[in-house]
Amino acid sequence: MPLLALWTSNPIAVGEFSIEQVVATAGDGLLRDGSVCSGELRQYLSQVPTHKIAVYVDQCLGSSLNKGGLILQDLINEIGRRLDFTVTNGRYQGVVSAIGYDGIWLSPEGHSIIAEVKTTDAYRMSLDTLAGYRDRLAAAGQVSGPSSVLIIVGRQDTGELEAQIRGSRHAWDVRLISAEALLKLVQLKENADGPETGRKIRSLLAPMEYTRLDRMIDVMFTTATDVEKLSAGLAEPEVEDRSDEDRTPKSSWEFTDSTLLQRKRESIITAVGRDHGAPLIRKSRALFWSADHEVRAACTVSKRYLKRNSYPYWYAFHPQWAEFLNETKRSYFVLGCMDLKIAFAIPGKEFVSHLDGLNVTIKDDGSRYWHVHLVEKSPGSYAILLPKKSDYLRLDDYVTKVT
């Protein structure tokens, strides 16, 4: 059975495959330029969670795989996509008639990176050749605007290559990073919420002037601030809701363990992807999308609140989520409940059309979020309260079963 069909019918079994077994199952199992094997492998990698990509990278670097360098090239390009670069895959094998590169990564900010993937730095490489690729790509119109070269090395011991770059005339145009560090950047981005964090993480991969350290400190501060809530266990924005009847002092708020919340969210997203025929991968802590970005979800989770006069479930909805959902026709605002085996996948445009019926909080810094209260109208039948319209948005048609 071809890889993609097997992945669709039995994802748990495929999830146990080594990367070598995955490649052997794709197409005819022969990884080469333009092959069905290559196409299926890349499509499969675009659908698996990032932690599985990390496992495959480890397998490529930890043993001598047949064509391990080619597999690593596809894995690294997929990591680039997880950082929101638009990636053009290069060729596995160079030919005289084509410009040699492993990948072209175009950031949303307009910076192009020519990616060069190496399993090891045991062999010296020609920086002049890499710079020549960049010049030829620019001349051919495949790269425009500011650009640089990024060498991604599998092994950590890169001292000789670092010295080679520092001593060359290309020192300001070439940067070097290990595969492990690149994966850490993806992890930071996926655990953050704000779009600014992703932008600043991407900026680290472009050449940066280090005499003045303000820019680097700014990147570190923004990223640390964005993931601080997750690290502290304040995993869901909805716990900040003190609106309406519930005016509980901040010091007495109760929080659900962030690991449990994230585990619940992942099971919900798996179910939503299954129901809508598109596996979803994480863009940030609460935002998910399909490999082609056409199917999207903003997923938030609440525990059940038992205090008198409080709603059983409450959430926050943020303006950046509305922007994310409105960029495609197939999007969903997904509400999860820690104690229920169902979730609610509300079409994005349907939910956004009801925002004027929700209460809103505007913070001192000008940011805002809407309060979403989930109520049980009758046993097993749930609805969102629309207090400004004295009405409800019933959710019976949007139920997703969560295993």
Side-chain angles (χ1 to χ4, degrees):
M1 181 182 293
L3 173 61
L4 296 178
L6 184 58
W7 166 244
T8 301
S9 63
N10 197 344
I12 295 177
V14 177
E16 297 297 321
F17 286 3
S18 68
I19 188 59
E20 202 166 22
Q21 291 172 315
V22 169
V23 174
T25 312
D28 59 5
L30 300 177
L31 195 59
R32 56 188 184 276
D33 288 307
S35 66
V36 175
C37 176
S38 173
E40 285 200 0
L41 174 63
R42 291 171 180 175
Q43 191 172 344
Y44 166 75
L45 294 178
S46 73
Q47 299 177 12
V48 300
T50 300
H51 69 81
K52 182 60 67 175
I53 298 290
V55 170
Y56 293 152
V57 168
D58 221 30
Q59 291 173 357
C60 281
L61 299 175
S63 58
S64 299
L65 299 183
N66 182 33
K67 296 192 175 181
L70 308 187
I71 300 170
L72 184 65
Q73 181 176 317
D74 280 339
L75 289 168
I76 295 299
N77 277 327
E78 181 56 35
I79 293 171
R81 293 185 178 93
R82 303 296 166 101
L83 289 169
D84 291 348
F85 287 95
T86 299
V87 176
T88 302
N89 289 82
R91 295 181 58 85
Y92 297 126
Q93 303 290 341
V95 294
V96 175
S97 59
I99 304 171
Y101 60 88
D102 290 342
I104 300 174
W105 299 5
L106 176 62
S107 75
E109 297 76 38
H111 186 95
S112 293
I113 289 176
I114 290 78
E116 180 73 14
V117 182
K118 298 293 182 185
T119 57
T120 176
D121 74 334
Y123 305 100
R124 291 182 66 88
M125 63 181 67
S126 171
L127 298 180
D128 287 339
T129 299
L130 293 181
Y133 291 160
R134 186 177 69 144
D135 294 341
R136 290 170 62 193
L137 288 169
Q142 293 179 257
V143 167
S144 60
S147 63
S148 58
V149 174
L150 180 66
I151 303 172
I152 304 100
V153 180
R155 309 282 189 259
Q156 287 281 9
D157 184 11
T158 59
E160 184 176 342
L161 185 52
E162 293 173 48
Q164 182 186 350
I165 294 171
R166 282 196 299 269
S168 78
R169 61 191 179 93
H170 305 295
W172 291 106
D173 300 317
V174 179
R175 287 296 176 263
L176 175 70
I177 191 170
S178 68
E180 181 182 355
L182 198 61
L183 281 163
K184 287 179 179 178
L185 290 180
V186 177
Q187 184 180 8
L188 279 174
K189 175 183 169 293
E190 291 184 347
N191 283 337
D193 256 339
E196 182 69 6
T197 299
R199 186 184 72 79
K200 292 192 174 182
I201 285 174
R202 285 187 296 273
S203 75
L204 289 173
L205 302 179
M208 184 185 296
E209 204 281 309
Y210 292 108
T211 302
R212 180 170 177 173
L213 299 178
D214 293 44
R215 184 179 169 194
M216 180 178 290
I217 298 301
D218 188 37
V219 173
M220 295 166 61
F221 179 80
T222 300
T223 304
T225 300
D226 201 5
V227 300
E228 182 179 2
K229 285 185 179 180
L230 186 70
S231 300
L234 314 185
E236 290 302 300
E238 62 271 17
V239 298
E240 297 180 2
D241 188 345
R242 293 181 293 163
S243 64
D244 307 322
E245 295 92 340
D246 194 302
R247 300 284 176 176
T248 306
K250 189 172 183 178
S251 60
S252 63
W253 292 355
E254 297 178 3
F255 302 111
T256 305
D257 181 83
S258 60
T259 301
L260 296 178
L261 278 166
Q262 193 57 33
R263 189 178 302 160
K264 183 72 171 184
R265 194 198 316 263
E266 289 172 358
S267 64
I268 290 169
I269 283 297
T270 298
V272 171
R274 175 201 65 213
D275 287 357
H276 296 280
L280 300 174
I281 57 176
R282 194 192 298 186
K283 172 178 170 61
S284 64
R285 185 171 61 86
L287 302 182
F288 299 78
W289 53 13
S290 58
D292 61 5
H293 301 178
E294 290 301 313
V295 183
R296 302 185 178 194
C299 180
T300 184
V301 183
S302 171
K303 71 175 184 179
R304 177 182 282 271
Y305 291 87
L306 301 176
K307 293 179 181 178
R308 185 176 64 85
N309 295 330
S310 68
Y311 299 104
Y313 306 97
W314 68 43
Y315 312 82
F317 184 80
H318 301 275
Q320 63 265 32
W321 294 5
E323 295 174 10
F324 177 74
L325 297 178
N326 278 334
E327 288 174 354
T328 182
K329 294 180 179 179
R330 297 181 63 194
S331 65
Y332 304 91
F333 179 45
V334 183
L335 301 176
C337 308
M338 288 297 293
D339 63 328
L340 299 182
K341 293 184 178 180
I342 59 173
F344 306 95
I346 311 156
K349 293 188 184 300
E350 168 71 8
F351 177 77
V352 170
S353 71
H354 291 284
L355 288 179
D356 59 349
L358 302 176
N359 290 328
V360 62
T361 288
I362 301 177
K363 297 184 178 181
D364 293 340
D365 62 3
S367 63
R368 67 176 61 199
Y369 65 89
W370 288 271
H371 301 266
V372 181
H373 293 118
L374 191 63
V375 296
E376 193 169 7
K377 295 289 291 178
S378 59
S381 180
Y382 295 85
I384 292 174
L385 178 66
L386 302 174
K388 290 187 176 180
K389 295 182 178 180
S390 300
D391 199 0
Y392 297 90
L393 172 60
R394 295 187 177 274
L395 303 180
D396 296 339
D397 294 336
Y398 307 131
V399 173
T400 290
K401 292 183 179 179
V402 181
T403 56

